[in-house]
Amino acid sequence: MSMGTAMREFATERLAATGDEEATRLRHAGHYESVIVTAYPMMRGTRQRETINTLTHDWPNFRAAADWALSTDRIELAASLYTNCWILAWQGDHWLDTDRYTEEFIAVSHRLDDHLRARLLFVAAGFRMERGDGPTAIAYARPAIELSMQVKDRETEAWS
């Protein structure tokens, strides 16, 4: 067990003992959602490498926030983290971590608004393509394109 893992486990135990775990985790997830939403445009611009290098250090926090949001049925928060982290996951070589998330998100995607669902399907299609699963990628990309056209999300439509 690494020192970081041991420290996280200890901190988790201490947090649970305070009775403020849910509120603290919600603030944590909200903070990291804000960080990734703010950084998203920079991950596609001239500062892409610098931004990704900086955010890579927080990958465990993004993953923990998404895990918690999924486990507590905060689907929109979890989906926002997932869809805004796709460039970081891909360029930061964390895309293998997304396999489990992809399947979990697809299972609940019908509960999202059309805009977020289109983005989620687009991201899932990209990750499936990365894994060499073209048929599943296409099955996710088609509705991503249709939904993004319906909600006039030109960015997702273009990427899909």
Side-chain angles (χ1 to χ4, degrees), residues 9 11 21 41 54-55 67 69 76 86-87 93 103 107 110 131 135 145 147 150 152:
E9 286 179 8
E21 184 175 7
T54 299
L55 293 173
D67 277 343
E76 289 193 13
W86 78 268
I87 297 172
D93 204 24
E103 297 313 311
H110 65 280
R131 299 290 288 160
I145 293 167
L147 285 169
Q150 287 174 12
K152 297 179 178 24

CSV table of all heavy atoms in Angstrom, one decimal, residues 9 11 21 41 54-55 67 69 76 86-87 93 103 107 110 131 135 145 147 150 152:
chain,number,residue,atom,x,y,z
A,9,GLU,N,-7.0,6.6,3.1
A,9,GLU,CA,-7.8,5.7,4.0
A,9,GLU,C,-8.0,6.2,5.4
A,9,GLU,O,-9.1,6.2,5.9
A,9,GLU,CB,-7.3,4.3,4.0
A,9,GLU,CG,-7.5,3.5,2.7
A,9,GLU,CD,-6.8,2.1,2.7
A,9,GLU,OE1,-6.4,1.7,3.8
A,9,GLU,OE2,-6.8,1.5,1.7
A,11,ALA,N,-7.7,9.4,6.3
A,11,ALA,CA,-8.5,10.6,6.2
A,11,ALA,C,-10.0,10.3,6.0
A,11,ALA,O,-10.9,10.9,6.6
A,11,ALA,CB,-8.1,11.5,5.0
A,21,GLU,N,-19.4,13.8,6.6
A,21,GLU,CA,-18.8,13.2,5.4
A,21,GLU,C,-19.6,13.6,4.1
A,21,GLU,O,-19.0,14.0,3.1
A,21,GLU,CB,-18.8,11.7,5.5
A,21,GLU,CG,-18.2,11.0,4.3
A,21,GLU,CD,-18.0,9.5,4.4
A,21,GLU,OE1,-18.5,9.0,5.4
A,21,GLU,OE2,-17.4,9.0,3.6
A,41,PRO,N,-11.7,24.5,-21.5
A,41,PRO,CA,-11.3,25.2,-22.7
A,41,PRO,C,-9.7,25.2,-22.9
A,41,PRO,O,-9.2,25.2,-24.0
A,41,PRO,CB,-11.8,26.6,-22.5
A,41,PRO,CG,-12.8,26.5,-21.5
A,41,PRO,CD,-12.5,25.4,-20.6
A,54,THR,N,-0.7,19.9,-15.2
A,54,THR,CA,-1.2,20.4,-13.9
A,54,THR,C,-2.3,19.6,-13.4
A,54,THR,O,-2.3,19.1,-12.2
A,54,THR,CB,-1.6,21.9,-14.0
A,54,THR,OG1,-0.4,22.6,-14.4
A,54,THR,CG2,-2.1,22.4,-12.7
A,55,LEU,N,-3.3,19.3,-14.2
A,55,LEU,CA,-4.5,18.6,-13.7
A,55,LEU,C,-4.3,17.1,-13.5
A,55,LEU,O,-5.0,16.5,-12.7
A,55,LEU,CB,-5.6,18.7,-14.8
A,55,LEU,CG,-6.2,20.1,-15.0
A,55,LEU,CD1,-7.2,20.1,-16.1
A,55,LEU,CD2,-6.9,20.6,-13.7
A,67,ASP,N,-16.6,9.0,-8.4
A,67,ASP,CA,-17.1,7.8,-7.7
A,67,ASP,C,-18.1,8.1,-6.7
A,67,ASP,O,-19.2,7.4,-6.6
A,67,ASP,CB,-15.9,7.1,-7.0
A,67,ASP,CG,-15.0,6.2,-7.9
A,67,ASP,OD1,-15.4,5.8,-9.0
A,67,ASP,OD2,-13.9,6.0,-7.4
A,69,ALA,N,-20.1,10.8,-6.5
A,69,ALA,CA,-21.3,11.3,-7.1
A,69,ALA,C,-22.1,10.2,-7.7
A,69,ALA,O,-23.3,10.1,-7.5
A,69,ALA,CB,-20.9,12.3,-8.1
A,76,GLU,N,-26.0,13.9,-12.5
A,76,GLU,CA,-25.6,15.0,-13.3
A,76,GLU,C,-24.2,15.5,-12.9
A,76,GLU,O,-23.4,15.9,-13.7
A,76,GLU,CB,-26.6,16.1,-13.2
A,76,GLU,CG,-27.9,15.8,-14.0
A,76,GLU,CD,-28.8,16.9,-14.3
A,76,GLU,OE1,-28.4,18.1,-14.0
A,76,GLU,OE2,-29.9,16.7,-14.7
A,86,TRP,N,-12.7,14.2,-20.1
A,86,TRP,CA,-12.3,13.3,-21.2
A,86,TRP,C,-11.0,13.7,-21.8
A,86,TRP,O,-10.2,12.8,-22.1
A,86,TRP,CB,-13.4,13.2,-22.2
A,86,TRP,CG,-13.5,14.3,-23.2
A,86,TRP,CD1,-14.3,15.4,-23.2
A,86,TRP,CD2,-12.8,14.4,-24.5
A,86,TRP,NE1,-14.1,16.2,-24.3
A,86,TRP,CE2,-13.3,15.6,-25.1
A,86,TRP,CE3,-11.9,13.6,-25.2
A,86,TRP,CZ2,-12.8,16.0,-26.4
A,86,TRP,CZ3,-11.5,14.0,-26.4
A,86,TRP,CH2,-11.9,15.2,-27.0
A,87,ILE,N,-10.7,14.9,-22.0
A,87,ILE,CA,-9.4,15.3,-22.6
A,87,ILE,C,-8.3,14.9,-21.7
A,87,ILE,O,-7.3,14.4,-22.1
A,87,ILE,CB,-9.4,16.8,-23.0
A,87,ILE,CG1,-10.4,17.0,-24.1
A,87,ILE,CG2,-8.0,17.2,-23.5
A,87,ILE,CD1,-10.6,18.5,-24.5
A,93,ASP,N,-3.2,10.1,-20.2
A,93,ASP,CA,-3.1,8.6,-20.2
A,93,ASP,C,-3.8,8.0,-19.0
A,93,ASP,O,-3.3,7.0,-18.4
A,93,ASP,CB,-1.6,8.2,-20.2
A,93,ASP,CG,-1.3,6.8,-20.7
A,93,ASP,OD1,-2.2,6.3,-21.4
A,93,ASP,OD2,-0.3,6.2,-20.3
A,103,GLU,N,-19.4,2.3,-18.7
A,103,GLU,CA,-20.5,1.4,-18.6
A,103,GLU,C,-21.5,1.9,-17.6
A,103,GLU,O,-22.7,1.7,-17.8
A,103,GLU,CB,-20.0,0.0,-18.3
A,103,GLU,CG,-19.1,-0.6,-19.4
A,103,GLU,CD,-19.7,-0.4,-20.8
A,103,GLU,OE1,-20.9,-0.7,-21.0
A,103,GLU,OE2,-19.0,0.1,-21.7
A,107,ALA,N,-25.5,3.1,-18.5
A,107,ALA,CA,-26.7,2.5,-17.8
A,107,ALA,C,-27.6,3.6,-17.2
A,107,ALA,O,-28.8,3.3,-17.1
A,107,ALA,CB,-26.2,1.6,-16.7
A,110,HIS,N,-30.0,7.7,-19.6
A,110,HIS,CA,-31.4,8.1,-19.9
A,110,HIS,C,-32.0,9.1,-18.9
A,110,HIS,O,-32.9,9.8,-19.2
A,110,HIS,CB,-32.3,6.9,-20.0
A,110,HIS,CG,-32.4,6.1,-18.7
A,110,HIS,ND1,-31.4,5.3,-18.2
A,110,HIS,CD2,-33.4,6.2,-17.7
A,110,HIS,CE1,-31.8,4.8,-17.0
A,110,HIS,NE2,-33.0,5.3,-16.7
A,131,ARG,N,-10.5,1.7,-27.2
A,131,ARG,CA,-10.4,0.3,-26.8
A,131,ARG,C,-10.5,-0.6,-28.0
A,131,ARG,O,-10.4,-1.8,-27.8
A,131,ARG,CB,-11.5,-0.1,-25.7
A,131,ARG,CG,-11.4,0.8,-24.5
A,131,ARG,CD,-10.2,0.5,-23.6
A,131,ARG,NE,-10.4,-0.8,-23.0
A,131,ARG,CZ,-9.4,-1.5,-22.5
A,131,ARG,NH1,-8.2,-1.1,-22.5
A,131,ARG,NH2,-9.6,-2.7,-21.9
A,135,PRO,N,-17.8,-1.1,-33.2
A,135,PRO,CA,-19.3,-1.2,-33.2
A,135,PRO,C,-20.0,-0.5,-32.1
A,135,PRO,O,-21.0,0.2,-32.3
A,135,PRO,CB,-19.5,-2.7,-33.2
A,135,PRO,CG,-18.3,-3.3,-33.8
A,135,PRO,CD,-17.2,-2.4,-33.3
A,145,ILE,N,-24.7,12.4,-31.9
A,145,ILE,CA,-24.8,13.3,-33.0
A,145,ILE,C,-26.3,13.8,-33.1
A,145,ILE,O,-26.5,15.0,-33.2
A,145,ILE,CB,-24.4,12.7,-34.3
A,145,ILE,CG1,-22.9,12.4,-34.3
A,145,ILE,CG2,-24.8,13.6,-35.5
A,145,ILE,CD1,-22.4,11.6,-35.5
A,147,LEU,N,-28.7,13.8,-30.8
A,147,LEU,CA,-29.0,14.7,-29.6
A,147,LEU,C,-28.3,16.0,-29.7
A,147,LEU,O,-28.9,17.1,-29.4
A,147,LEU,CB,-28.6,14.0,-28.3
A,147,LEU,CG,-29.5,12.8,-27.8
A,147,LEU,CD1,-28.9,12.1,-26.7
A,147,LEU,CD2,-30.9,13.4,-27.4
A,150,GLN,N,-30.1,18.2,-32.0
A,150,GLN,CA,-31.4,18.7,-31.4
A,150,GLN,C,-31.2,19.8,-30.4
A,150,GLN,O,-32.1,20.7,-30.4
A,150,GLN,CB,-32.1,17.5,-30.7
A,150,GLN,CG,-32.7,16.5,-31.6
A,150,GLN,CD,-33.2,15.3,-30.8
A,150,GLN,OE1,-33.4,15.3,-29.6
A,150,GLN,NE2,-33.5,14.2,-31.5
A,152,LYS,N,-28.7,21.8,-30.4
A,152,LYS,CA,-27.8,22.8,-31.0
A,152,LYS,C,-26.5,22.9,-30.3
A,152,LYS,O,-26.0,24.0,-30.1
A,152,LYS,CB,-28.5,24.1,-31.1
A,152,LYS,CG,-29.8,24.0,-32.0
A,152,LYS,CD,-30.5,25.4,-32.1
A,152,LYS,CE,-31.7,25.4,-33.0
A,152,LYS,NZ,-32.4,24.2,-33.3
